[in-house]
Amino acid sequence: MSVQERKERERAGRERLIVTTARELAEQQGWDAVTTRRLAERIEYSQPVLYSHFRGKREIIGAVALEGAAEMAAAVRAAASAADGPRARVTALARTYLDFAERNPAVYDAMFQLDGGLAFAQEDTPEPLKDAFAALLETLGEAAGDGVHPGLFTETFWAALHGMATLTRAGRLPREYAEPRVELLVDRLAVV
C-alpha cells in the first residue's frame, strides 16, 4: 500500500469516527449536545482536525443524513422483498419506515428535520437521498393506481408516513394506534 493510500484510508477512518460519534451523541443527548468541542473531546482529536473533514455541524448533520438514507433504503428494500404480494409489500414498507424513524430519532431528524445542507428533489441531490426515494418508489409505484403518477403517489404516501412518524414521536398521536393507522393508510391510499 502506498503512503497516499494509507493517508486516504486514515482520513476516511477519521471521518467515519466523527460521523459515528456525532450520531451516537445525538441519539443519546439530542443534536444540541453535538458540538465540535464535544466531538473533539470524545474522539480525542483537536477541533482543527474535525474542521479539516467538515466545515461545521451542518456538514456533520448532512453526513449523518446520507448514512441514514442509505440504511433506510436498505431496510425498506429488504422488508418489501421479503413480503408476498403488493399489499404486503406496501404494508411492510410503511412499518419499516415508521420503525426506522422510531429507532433512530436523531438520524431521522438529520434526514428530514434539520439543515444538513443537502438538496432534495433537485439535480444536485446526493445519491443516497435519491436512492432512498427510489427504494420507496420501487414498492409504492405499483400501488399508485391507473392514471396516477407513481412519483407523485410516492411523495404523498411518504408525506403521510412522515407525518405519522413525527406526530407520534411528538406525542400528538397515540402510539397504540400505530398499526391501525398503517392499515388505514394502505387500505385507503394504495391500490393493491
Side-chain angles (χ1 to χ4, degrees):
M1 171 182 311
S2 73
V3 172
Q4 181 64 27
E5 289 172 331
R6 182 183 53 77
K7 286 182 180 183
E8 288 174 13
R9 189 179 70 207
E10 288 171 355
R11 180 171 176 74
R14 279 192 309 271
E15 191 167 302
R16 176 95 229 95
L17 179 62
I18 294 165
V19 171
T20 300
T21 304
R23 181 176 176 164
E24 289 170 357
L25 187 57
E27 292 292 1
Q28 294 165 0
Q29 299 176 32
W31 279 104
D32 287 342
V34 179
T35 64
T36 54
R37 169 183 270 164
R38 206 166 209 186
L39 286 173
E41 289 171 2
R42 284 216 174 181
I43 64 173
E44 299 178 344
Y45 283 110
S46 67
Q47 284 181 300
V49 170
L50 268 86
Y51 285 117
S52 74
H53 291 275
F54 300 99
R55 287 181 284 195
K57 183 175 176 177
R58 181 178 186 219
E59 284 190 4
I60 294 169
I61 290 170
V64 170
L66 294 176
E67 182 177 270
E71 290 171 11
M72 188 182 76
V76 163
R77 283 188 175 108
S81 69
D84 187 28
R87 186 181 196 293
R89 282 191 290 279
V90 172
T91 302
L93 176 147
R95 287 179 182 145
T96 300
Y97 183 98
L98 294 171
D99 182 59
F100 180 88
E102 186 175 341
R103 285 183 299 106
N104 305 283
V107 173
Y108 192 81
D109 285 349
M111 292 167 64
F112 302 120
Q113 304 287 94
L114 302 174
D115 179 10
L118 304 173
F120 282 82
Q122 298 175 19
E123 280 189 36
D124 61 339
T125 298
E127 202 53 46
L129 297 180
K130 289 179 182 178
D131 188 54
F133 185 78
L136 298 175
L137 181 62
E138 289 162 13
T139 297
L140 294 172
E142 69 183 21
D146 293 336
V148 178
H149 187 279
L152 183 60
F153 177 79
T154 299
E155 290 173 350
T156 303
F157 200 94
W158 171 31
L161 289 174
H162 176 71
M164 290 165 59
T166 57
L167 290 170
T168 301
R169 189 165 123 207
R172 305 295 196 267
L173 296 176
R175 289 187 191 280
E176 63 265 21
Y177 296 114
E179 187 59 28
R181 278 187 211 101
V182 167
E183 295 296 325
L184 182 62
L185 180 65
V186 173
D187 286 344
R188 299 289 190 229
L189 200 56
V191 180
V192 286

